[in-house]
Amino acid sequence: MSAIALGMIIFAYLCGSISSAILVCKLAGLPDPRISGSGNPGATNVLRIGGKASAAAVLIFDVAKGMVPVWIAWMLHVTPMYLGLTAIAACLGHIYPVFFRFRGGKGVATAFGAIAPIGWDLTGLMTGTWLLTVLLSGYSSLGAIVSALIAPFYVWWFKPQFTFPVSMLSCLILLRHHDNIQRLWRGQENRVWKRKKKKE
């Protein structure tokens, strides 16, 4: 491993460790997302406890902290394998942030940002898959799960050299959604928005 590749992996982990959900909630005077709502410091939980503006700020920052390190590594001509490890490091930073006692989110937005530099065509497909799933089901977690499952196939089609690292990234996301998968199976998962009850 070259010094540049190792440096980018460390840099990516440190970027990922900056928890925007916790910082945005603190700045906005909102409850700590680790102990409010679902207990997950991510954009979806911030949407529930703080509204659209705060959630949008968290989402943009979480995407950026995955995208920036990978983009820089790409520009420095880091090999595909180490580029993939840089992406995984950013997500591990988000999930286990060194600055916040290793208690972080599930890494979906950060993973999306890390995959984005591979190509805009892939980015568009991933965005469309997540949006369509969430709009049809109302479950943000299901959108993340479906996107993680299908991402390796999209990458294999467009940029096959990145299939293995993206597959590892998808496995990490799926592992973090283990509890969500169980709740979805039992019909106990919370939707992004509440369905209106039909009038009798």
Side-chain angles (χ1 to χ4, degrees):
M1 183 187 294
S2 69
I4 292 175
L6 178 60
M8 288 311 307
I9 289 170
I10 295 170
F11 175 67
Y13 174 75
L14 293 175
C15 285
S17 290
I18 303 171
S19 180
S20 58
I22 297 171
L23 294 176
V24 167
C25 285
K26 188 171 288 187
L27 290 171
L30 298 170
D32 189 326
R34 294 171 293 182
I35 56 174
S36 304
S38 66
N40 178 57
T44 303
N45 193 32
V46 174
L47 175 64
R48 294 191 185 103
I49 64 177
K52 294 178 181 178
S54 296
V58 171
L59 181 63
I60 291 168
F61 191 92
D62 282 352
V63 169
K65 71 184 186 183
M67 183 183 294
V68 171
V70 175
W71 187 265
I72 294 173
W74 178 287
M75 297 298 289
L76 293 173
H77 306 291
V78 172
T79 61
M81 178 56 68
Y82 292 129
L83 203 61
L85 290 176
T86 301
I88 291 170
C91 289
L92 284 173
H94 179 84
I95 296 169
Y96 304 108
V98 67
F99 305 128
F100 296 93
R101 299 181 181 179
F102 302 99
R103 185 181 175 187
K106 296 185 177 176
V108 178
T110 304
F112 175 80
I115 293 173
I118 294 175
W120 293 114
D121 41 11
L122 176 63
T123 304
L125 274 174
M126 292 294 296
T127 304
T129 300
W130 183 85
L131 277 175
L132 184 62
T133 306
V134 174
L135 288 173
L136 290 176
S137 68
Y139 296 111
S140 176
S141 58
L142 185 60
I145 292 163
V146 171
S147 298
L149 285 170
I150 205 167
F153 297 99
Y154 285 157
V155 175
W156 174 78
W157 183 262
F158 288 103
K159 298 284 179 68
Q161 66 268 35
F162 295 106
T163 303
F164 181 65
V166 169
S167 297
M168 290 194 294
L169 197 58
S170 292
C171 288
L172 181 62
I173 298 300
L174 290 171
L175 284 171
R176 285 294 291 168
H177 281 79
H178 177 262
D179 292 339
N180 300 87
I181 293 170
Q182 288 190 328
R183 287 196 295 269
L184 284 165
W185 182 258
R186 296 169 184 160
Q188 299 171 343
E189 182 75 330
N190 293 322
R191 285 185 167 86
V192 179
W193 56 82
K194 293 181 180 178
R195 287 185 173 179
K196 294 180 179 178
K197 293 182 180 180
K198 292 182 180 179
K199 293 182 180 180
E200 296 180 356

